[in-house]
Amino acid sequence: MESQFSLLERGAVLSALEECTDALAIYQYTLKKPSVHIGIDIDCIPPEVRYSNVMRTQLFGNNANVVQKYLEQRAIFDKLQRDGLYIERLVTETKKVFHKNGFLDTLIDEVEKEESQKKNEEFLLSESLQLEEKLSSLCQIRDSEIITNKEETEILKQKLLDTNKEMKEMTNKTRVELEYISAWKKSQCQQSILRGNINLNHLNLSQRHCLIIKKNEHRVTENIEAFLLQSLATNEKQSLYWNQRHIKESTMYEAEIRQLRNEIEIRRSVLEDLKREYDSRQAFIDTYLAEKEAIRKQKEHEEYVRRSAIKIQAWWRGVMVRRKLGPYRPEDKKKRSTKTKK
């Protein structure tokens, strides 16, 4: 928010700002550079190497602690120098604005910006601490994994030696087994040759027996063929006889079939005539029954009308009797009525 100052207050504020600029000039003059000298140009080294503990120890060796101390002092000096220049620039800008307008809004805005930036820096600092803790835990995990890898390599070397010994034993064993197998195969070949000779003799005997059986079967087949030829001749004669008989019977049966078809046609025409006569008589009967049903319904309707008329008449007579109307009035009422009429 903008705030207006009076003339006296403006003079006091300007004098205070002048004092601040003088004090800042003195501060910048008295600011000292780092006292530690290492004889190495740090600016040529990349920041990721400069601020990493592991890389710093690998690069500088025993001078790593001195380099770390130098980096800390230099960082402090750079920070103080930047802050002094920033405050000096801010005071000069506020003096210019205050001379023109008489307001300190730029200073207030800068203070608010600095507070928000401070909060952000604190948040980033907390995050960096957490990341450093995570990095240290990861380094510990890496060291433990390196140790385990060394142990595993030793175990694997021992296993390799054991496997080499087993391979040698297995080669000796396989050589002995091959010799045994070759001898066993030779014996198996001799046994199979002997068995084959025995089987060959047995097959020769079976072949002779099969030849004898073949001759006998050939003789039997010749007899069967002669019998079949004789039976075929007789079957041909019978087939000719039965074909002639079939032709005769087929002609006879065809004549009978034609006669039966004619009879069926005649009877079918008679049935059609009877069907037409039945339809005409059935139509007459249907009309007669319909007329009879109409007469019956008309009679029922007339009877219903007559009975309902009787009921109405009986009701009307009852009404006249109960109320003594018409011919059912008493005599005295009739006489009075006649007198009044005179």
Side-chain angles (χ1 to χ4, degrees), residues 146-190:
I146 289 166
I147 293 165
T148 52
N149 288 325
K150 287 180 179 178
E151 293 175 355
E152 287 178 356
T153 51
E154 291 177 356
I155 292 164
L156 290 171
K157 286 179 181 179
Q158 187 65 34
K159 285 183 178 180
L160 183 62
L161 294 172
D162 296 334
T163 52
N164 289 323
K165 287 180 181 179
E166 289 178 358
M167 285 291 290
K168 288 179 180 178
E169 292 176 357
M170 290 294 289
T171 51
N172 295 323
K173 188 176 180 181
T174 51
R175 183 172 57 76
V176 173
E177 286 178 353
L178 287 170
E179 290 176 356
Y180 174 75
I181 289 165
S182 62
W184 181 75
K185 283 183 177 180
K186 286 179 181 179
S187 64
Q188 285 290 109
C189 289
Q190 291 175 359

Short mmCIF file of all heavy atoms in Angstrom, two decimals, residues 146-190:
data_model
loop_
_atom_site.label_atom_id
_atom_site.label_comp_id
_atom_site.label_asym_id
_atom_site.label_seq_id
_atom_site.Cartn_x
_atom_site.Cartn_y
_atom_site.Cartn_z
N ILE A 146 29.02 -53.76 -3.65
CA ILE A 146 30.40 -54.04 -4.10
C ILE A 146 31.01 -55.17 -3.29
O ILE A 146 31.65 -56.09 -3.82
CB ILE A 146 31.26 -52.76 -4.01
CG1 ILE A 146 30.82 -51.75 -5.10
CG2 ILE A 146 32.74 -53.09 -4.18
CD1 ILE A 146 31.36 -50.36 -4.90
N ILE A 147 30.78 -55.10 -1.96
CA ILE A 147 31.34 -56.16 -1.08
C ILE A 147 30.71 -57.50 -1.43
O ILE A 147 31.38 -58.53 -1.54
CB ILE A 147 31.09 -55.79 0.40
CG1 ILE A 147 31.94 -54.55 0.76
CG2 ILE A 147 31.44 -56.95 1.30
CD1 ILE A 147 31.52 -53.88 2.04
N THR A 148 29.37 -57.49 -1.60
CA THR A 148 28.68 -58.75 -1.94
C THR A 148 29.15 -59.28 -3.30
O THR A 148 29.29 -60.51 -3.48
CB THR A 148 27.16 -58.54 -1.96
OG1 THR A 148 26.86 -57.42 -2.82
CG2 THR A 148 26.64 -58.24 -0.57
N ASN A 149 29.39 -58.36 -4.25
CA ASN A 149 29.88 -58.79 -5.56
C ASN A 149 31.25 -59.45 -5.47
O ASN A 149 31.53 -60.45 -6.16
CB ASN A 149 29.92 -57.62 -6.52
CG ASN A 149 28.54 -57.17 -6.96
OD1 ASN A 149 27.65 -58.01 -7.12
ND2 ASN A 149 28.36 -55.88 -7.17
N LYS A 150 32.12 -58.88 -4.61
CA LYS A 150 33.44 -59.49 -4.42
C LYS A 150 33.30 -60.89 -3.84
O LYS A 150 33.96 -61.85 -4.29
CB LYS A 150 34.29 -58.62 -3.51
CG LYS A 150 34.78 -57.34 -4.17
CD LYS A 150 35.62 -56.52 -3.21
CE LYS A 150 36.12 -55.23 -3.88
NZ LYS A 150 36.91 -54.41 -2.94
N GLU A 151 32.43 -61.01 -2.82
CA GLU A 151 32.23 -62.33 -2.22
C GLU A 151 31.68 -63.31 -3.25
O GLU A 151 32.10 -64.47 -3.31
CB GLU A 151 31.28 -62.21 -1.03
CG GLU A 151 31.88 -61.42 0.14
CD GLU A 151 30.89 -61.23 1.25
OE1 GLU A 151 29.71 -61.63 1.07
OE2 GLU A 151 31.27 -60.69 2.31
N GLU A 152 30.72 -62.82 -4.05
CA GLU A 152 30.14 -63.71 -5.07
C GLU A 152 31.18 -64.13 -6.11
O GLU A 152 31.17 -65.27 -6.59
CB GLU A 152 28.97 -63.01 -5.76
CG GLU A 152 27.73 -62.92 -4.86
CD GLU A 152 26.58 -62.18 -5.55
OE1 GLU A 152 26.81 -61.68 -6.68
OE2 GLU A 152 25.49 -62.09 -4.97
N THR A 153 32.08 -63.19 -6.50
CA THR A 153 33.13 -63.55 -7.46
C THR A 153 34.04 -64.63 -6.90
O THR A 153 34.43 -65.58 -7.62
CB THR A 153 33.95 -62.32 -7.84
OG1 THR A 153 34.39 -61.65 -6.64
CG2 THR A 153 33.13 -61.35 -8.67
N GLU A 154 34.39 -64.52 -5.60
CA GLU A 154 35.23 -65.56 -4.98
C GLU A 154 34.51 -66.90 -4.97
O GLU A 154 35.09 -67.95 -5.26
CB GLU A 154 35.62 -65.13 -3.56
CG GLU A 154 36.59 -63.95 -3.54
CD GLU A 154 36.90 -63.49 -2.13
OE1 GLU A 154 36.30 -64.07 -1.19
OE2 GLU A 154 37.73 -62.58 -1.97
N ILE A 155 33.20 -66.83 -4.62
CA ILE A 155 32.42 -68.08 -4.59
C ILE A 155 32.35 -68.70 -5.99
O ILE A 155 32.49 -69.92 -6.17
CB ILE A 155 31.01 -67.80 -4.03
CG1 ILE A 155 31.11 -67.44 -2.54
CG2 ILE A 155 30.10 -69.00 -4.22
CD1 ILE A 155 29.86 -66.79 -1.98
N LEU A 156 32.16 -67.84 -6.99
CA LEU A 156 32.07 -68.34 -8.37
C LEU A 156 33.41 -68.92 -8.85
O LEU A 156 33.43 -69.91 -9.59
CB LEU A 156 31.62 -67.22 -9.30
CG LEU A 156 30.16 -66.75 -9.13
CD1 LEU A 156 29.91 -65.49 -9.95
CD2 LEU A 156 29.20 -67.85 -9.57
N LYS A 157 34.52 -68.29 -8.43
CA LYS A 157 35.83 -68.85 -8.77
C LYS A 157 36.00 -70.25 -8.19
O LYS A 157 36.47 -71.18 -8.85
CB LYS A 157 36.94 -67.93 -8.27
CG LYS A 157 37.11 -66.67 -9.08
CD LYS A 157 38.21 -65.80 -8.49
CE LYS A 157 38.39 -64.50 -9.29
NZ LYS A 157 39.43 -63.63 -8.70
N GLN A 158 35.59 -70.39 -6.91
CA GLN A 158 35.69 -71.70 -6.27
C GLN A 158 34.80 -72.72 -6.99
O GLN A 158 35.20 -73.88 -7.21
CB GLN A 158 35.29 -71.58 -4.79
CG GLN A 158 35.52 -72.84 -3.99
CD GLN A 158 36.99 -73.19 -3.89
OE1 GLN A 158 37.84 -72.30 -3.83
NE2 GLN A 158 37.30 -74.48 -3.88
N LYS A 159 33.61 -72.25 -7.37
CA LYS A 159 32.70 -73.15 -8.11
C LYS A 159 33.31 -73.55 -9.45
O LYS A 159 33.17 -74.70 -9.90
CB LYS A 159 31.35 -72.47 -8.33
CG LYS A 159 30.49 -72.41 -7.08
CD LYS A 159 29.15 -71.78 -7.41
CE LYS A 159 28.27 -71.76 -6.17
NZ LYS A 159 26.94 -71.15 -6.46
N LEU A 160 34.00 -72.59 -10.11
CA LEU A 160 34.63 -72.89 -11.39
C LEU A 160 35.71 -73.95 -11.24
O LEU A 160 35.82 -74.88 -12.06
CB LEU A 160 35.22 -71.61 -11.98
CG LEU A 160 35.87 -71.71 -13.36
CD1 LEU A 160 34.84 -72.14 -14.40
CD2 LEU A 160 36.50 -70.38 -13.76
N LEU A 161 36.53 -73.83 -10.17
CA LEU A 161 37.54 -74.84 -9.92
C LEU A 161 36.91 -76.21 -9.68
O LEU A 161 37.38 -77.23 -10.19
CB LEU A 161 38.40 -74.43 -8.72
CG LEU A 161 39.28 -73.17 -8.92
CD1 LEU A 161 39.91 -72.77 -7.59
CD2 LEU A 161 40.35 -73.42 -9.97
N ASP A 162 35.81 -76.20 -8.88
CA ASP A 162 35.13 -77.47 -8.62
C ASP A 162 34.58 -78.08 -9.89
O ASP A 162 34.66 -79.30 -10.11
CB ASP A 162 34.00 -77.25 -7.60
CG ASP A 162 34.55 -76.81 -6.25
OD1 ASP A 162 35.71 -77.15 -5.95
OD2 ASP A 162 33.81 -76.13 -5.50
N THR A 163 34.00 -77.23 -10.74
CA THR A 163 33.44 -77.74 -12.00
C THR A 163 34.53 -78.30 -12.92
O THR A 163 34.31 -79.28 -13.63
CB THR A 163 32.67 -76.62 -12.72
OG1 THR A 163 33.50 -75.46 -12.84
CG2 THR A 163 31.39 -76.26 -12.01
N ASN A 164 35.72 -77.64 -12.92
CA ASN A 164 36.84 -78.17 -13.72
C ASN A 164 37.25 -79.55 -13.25
O ASN A 164 37.49 -80.47 -14.05
CB ASN A 164 38.02 -77.21 -13.67
CG ASN A 164 37.77 -75.92 -14.45
OD1 ASN A 164 37.13 -75.98 -15.51
ND2 ASN A 164 38.26 -74.80 -13.96
N LYS A 165 37.29 -79.71 -11.90
CA LYS A 165 37.62 -81.03 -11.37
C LYS A 165 36.57 -82.06 -11.78
O LYS A 165 36.88 -83.18 -12.20
CB LYS A 165 37.71 -80.96 -9.84
CG LYS A 165 38.95 -80.23 -9.34
CD LYS A 165 38.96 -80.22 -7.82
CE LYS A 165 40.18 -79.45 -7.30
NZ LYS A 165 40.19 -79.42 -5.81
N GLU A 166 35.30 -81.65 -11.67
CA GLU A 166 34.23 -82.57 -12.04
C GLU A 166 34.29 -82.91 -13.52
O GLU A 166 34.03 -84.06 -13.93
CB GLU A 166 32.87 -81.95 -11.69
CG GLU A 166 32.61 -81.87 -10.19
CD GLU A 166 31.29 -81.20 -9.88
OE1 GLU A 166 30.61 -80.76 -10.84
OE2 GLU A 166 30.93 -81.14 -8.70
N MET A 167 34.65 -81.91 -14.37
CA MET A 167 34.78 -82.17 -15.80
C MET A 167 35.86 -83.19 -16.09
O MET A 167 35.69 -84.09 -16.92
CB MET A 167 35.08 -80.86 -16.53
CG MET A 167 33.87 -79.93 -16.66
SD MET A 167 32.62 -80.60 -17.77
CE MET A 167 33.47 -80.45 -19.34
N LYS A 168 37.00 -83.07 -15.40
CA LYS A 168 38.07 -84.04 -15.60
C LYS A 168 37.61 -85.44 -15.19
O LYS A 168 37.84 -86.43 -15.90
CB LYS A 168 39.29 -83.63 -14.80
CG LYS A 168 40.01 -82.41 -15.37
CD LYS A 168 41.21 -82.03 -14.50
CE LYS A 168 41.91 -80.80 -15.09
NZ LYS A 168 43.06 -80.38 -14.23
N GLU A 169 36.94 -85.51 -14.02
CA GLU A 169 36.45 -86.82 -13.57
C GLU A 169 35.44 -87.38 -14.57
O GLU A 169 35.45 -88.59 -14.87
CB GLU A 169 35.81 -86.67 -12.19
CG GLU A 169 36.83 -86.36 -11.10
CD GLU A 169 36.17 -86.12 -9.75
OE1 GLU A 169 34.91 -86.16 -9.71
OE2 GLU A 169 36.89 -85.92 -8.77
N MET A 170 34.55 -86.51 -15.07
CA MET A 170 33.54 -86.97 -16.02
C MET A 170 34.17 -87.45 -17.33
O MET A 170 33.72 -88.42 -17.93
CB MET A 170 32.55 -85.84 -16.30
CG MET A 170 31.64 -85.49 -15.13
SD MET A 170 30.51 -86.81 -14.70
CE MET A 170 29.40 -86.73 -16.08
N THR A 171 35.23 -86.75 -17.80
CA THR A 171 35.92 -87.19 -19.04
C THR A 171 36.53 -88.57 -18.86
O THR A 171 36.43 -89.44 -19.74
CB THR A 171 36.98 -86.17 -19.44
OG1 THR A 171 37.84 -85.90 -18.30
CG2 THR A 171 36.36 -84.86 -19.90
N ASN A 172 37.19 -88.79 -17.70
CA ASN A 172 37.77 -90.12 -17.43
C ASN A 172 36.68 -91.18 -17.37
O ASN A 172 36.82 -92.29 -17.91
CB ASN A 172 38.55 -90.08 -16.13
CG ASN A 172 39.77 -89.18 -16.20
OD1 ASN A 172 40.42 -89.12 -17.26
ND2 ASN A 172 40.08 -88.48 -15.13
N LYS A 173 35.58 -90.81 -16.72
CA LYS A 173 34.48 -91.76 -16.58
C LYS A 173 33.87 -92.09 -17.95
O LYS A 173 33.56 -93.24 -18.26
CB LYS A 173 33.42 -91.17 -15.65
CG LYS A 173 32.32 -92.12 -15.28
CD LYS A 173 31.38 -91.46 -14.29
CE LYS A 173 30.25 -92.42 -13.91
NZ LYS A 173 29.31 -91.79 -12.95
N THR A 174 33.69 -91.06 -18.78
CA THR A 174 33.12 -91.28 -20.11
C THR A 174 34.04 -92.14 -20.99
O THR A 174 33.58 -92.97 -21.77
CB THR A 174 32.87 -89.93 -20.81
OG1 THR A 174 34.05 -89.13 -20.75
CG2 THR A 174 31.74 -89.18 -20.16
N ARG A 175 35.37 -91.95 -20.85
CA ARG A 175 36.31 -92.76 -21.62
C ARG A 175 36.17 -94.23 -21.25
O ARG A 175 36.10 -95.10 -22.13
CB ARG A 175 37.74 -92.26 -21.36
CG ARG A 175 38.82 -92.98 -22.15
CD ARG A 175 40.15 -92.28 -21.95
NE ARG A 175 40.51 -92.22 -20.54
CZ ARG A 175 40.97 -93.25 -19.83
NH1 ARG A 175 41.15 -94.43 -20.41
NH2 ARG A 175 41.30 -93.10 -18.57
N VAL A 176 36.09 -94.48 -19.95
CA VAL A 176 35.93 -95.88 -19.50
C VAL A 176 34.60 -96.44 -19.99
O VAL A 176 34.51 -97.59 -20.44
CB VAL A 176 36.04 -95.95 -17.97
CG1 VAL A 176 35.72 -97.34 -17.47
CG2 VAL A 176 37.45 -95.53 -17.52
N GLU A 177 33.55 -95.62 -19.90
CA GLU A 177 32.23 -96.09 -20.32
C GLU A 177 32.20 -96.37 -21.82
O GLU A 177 31.56 -97.32 -22.28
CB GLU A 177 31.17 -95.03 -19.96
CG GLU A 177 30.86 -94.98 -18.47
CD GLU A 177 29.84 -93.90 -18.14
OE1 GLU A 177 29.50 -93.11 -19.06
OE2 GLU A 177 29.39 -93.83 -16.98
N LEU A 178 32.89 -95.51 -22.62
CA LEU A 178 32.95 -95.75 -24.07
C LEU A 178 33.64 -97.06 -24.38
O LEU A 178 33.21 -97.82 -25.27
CB LEU A 178 33.67 -94.59 -24.76
CG LEU A 178 32.89 -93.26 -24.85
CD1 LEU A 178 33.80 -92.15 -25.34
CD2 LEU A 178 31.70 -93.43 -25.81
N GLU A 179 34.73 -97.35 -23.68
CA GLU A 179 35.41 -98.63 -23.90
C GLU A 179 34.49 -99.80 -23.58
O GLU A 179 34.39 -100.78 -24.33
CB GLU A 179 36.67 -98.69 -23.04
CG GLU A 179 37.77 -97.72 -23.50
CD GLU A 179 38.96 -97.73 -22.58
OE1 GLU A 179 38.89 -98.44 -21.53
OE2 GLU A 179 39.96 -97.04 -22.88
N TYR A 180 33.77 -99.67 -22.43
CA TYR A 180 32.85 -100.74 -22.03
C TYR A 180 31.73 -100.89 -23.06
O TYR A 180 31.35 -102.01 -23.44
CB TYR A 180 32.28 -100.41 -20.65
CG TYR A 180 31.19 -101.37 -20.20
CD1 TYR A 180 31.52 -102.65 -19.76
CD2 TYR A 180 29.86 -100.98 -20.25
CE1 TYR A 180 30.53 -103.53 -19.36
CE2 TYR A 180 28.88 -101.86 -19.86
CZ TYR A 180 29.20 -103.13 -19.42
OH TYR A 180 28.21 -104.00 -19.04
N ILE A 181 31.20 -99.75 -23.55
CA ILE A 181 30.09 -99.79 -24.52
C ILE A 181 30.53 -100.40 -25.84
O ILE A 181 29.80 -101.16 -26.47
CB ILE A 181 29.53 -98.37 -24.72
CG1 ILE A 181 28.78 -97.92 -23.46
CG2 ILE A 181 28.61 -98.30 -25.93
CD1 ILE A 181 28.51 -96.44 -23.39
N SER A 182 31.76 -100.07 -26.27
CA SER A 182 32.27 -100.65 -27.54
C SER A 182 32.39 -102.16 -27.43
O SER A 182 32.00 -102.91 -28.35
CB SER A 182 33.60 -100.01 -27.90
OG SER A 182 34.57 -100.30 -26.89
N ALA A 183 32.91 -102.63 -26.30
CA ALA A 183 33.02 -104.08 -26.11
C ALA A 183 31.64 -104.73 -26.05
O ALA A 183 31.40 -105.80 -26.62
CB ALA A 183 33.79 -104.37 -24.81
N TRP A 184 30.72 -104.04 -25.35
CA TRP A 184 29.35 -104.59 -25.24
C TRP A 184 28.68 -104.64 -26.61
O TRP A 184 27.96 -105.60 -26.94
CB TRP A 184 28.56 -103.72 -24.27
CG TRP A 184 27.16 -104.18 -24.06
CD1 TRP A 184 26.74 -105.24 -23.32
CD2 TRP A 184 26.00 -103.57 -24.62
NE1 TRP A 184 25.40 -105.36 -23.37
CE2 TRP A 184 24.89 -104.33 -24.16
CE3 TRP A 184 25.77 -102.49 -25.44
CZ2 TRP A 184 23.60 -104.03 -24.51
CZ3 TRP A 184 24.47 -102.18 -25.77
CH2 TRP A 184 23.40 -102.94 -25.32
N LYS A 185 28.91 -103.62 -27.46
CA LYS A 185 28.33 -103.61 -28.80
C LYS A 185 28.87 -104.75 -29.66
O LYS A 185 28.15 -105.37 -30.45
CB LYS A 185 28.59 -102.27 -29.48
CG LYS A 185 27.68 -101.15 -28.99
CD LYS A 185 27.94 -99.88 -29.75
CE LYS A 185 26.99 -98.78 -29.30
NZ LYS A 185 27.21 -97.51 -30.02
N LYS A 186 30.19 -105.03 -29.53
CA LYS A 186 30.77 -106.14 -30.28
C LYS A 186 30.10 -107.45 -29.91
O LYS A 186 29.74 -108.27 -30.76
CB LYS A 186 32.27 -106.21 -30.01
CG LYS A 186 33.07 -105.12 -30.70
CD LYS A 186 34.54 -105.26 -30.36
CE LYS A 186 35.36 -104.15 -31.04
NZ LYS A 186 36.81 -104.26 -30.70
N SER A 187 29.93 -107.63 -28.59
CA SER A 187 29.27 -108.87 -28.14
C SER A 187 27.83 -108.93 -28.63
O SER A 187 27.33 -109.99 -29.03
CB SER A 187 29.32 -108.97 -26.62
OG SER A 187 28.58 -107.91 -26.03
N GLN A 188 27.15 -107.77 -28.60
CA GLN A 188 25.77 -107.73 -29.08
C GLN A 188 25.70 -108.07 -30.56
O GLN A 188 24.78 -108.77 -31.01
CB GLN A 188 25.18 -106.33 -28.85
CG GLN A 188 24.83 -106.03 -27.40
CD GLN A 188 23.64 -106.85 -26.94
OE1 GLN A 188 23.79 -107.77 -26.15
NE2 GLN A 188 22.46 -106.55 -27.46
N CYS A 189 26.68 -107.58 -31.36
CA CYS A 189 26.70 -107.89 -32.80
C CYS A 189 26.88 -109.39 -33.03
O CYS A 189 26.21 -110.00 -33.89
CB CYS A 189 27.82 -107.12 -33.48
SG CYS A 189 27.53 -105.34 -33.61
N GLN A 190 27.78 -110.02 -32.27
CA GLN A 190 27.98 -111.47 -32.42
C GLN A 190 26.72 -112.24 -32.08
O GLN A 190 26.33 -113.18 -32.78
CB GLN A 190 29.15 -111.90 -31.54
CG GLN A 190 30.50 -111.38 -32.00
CD GLN A 190 31.62 -111.73 -31.05
OE1 GLN A 190 31.38 -112.36 -30.00
NE2 GLN A 190 32.85 -111.31 -31.39
#
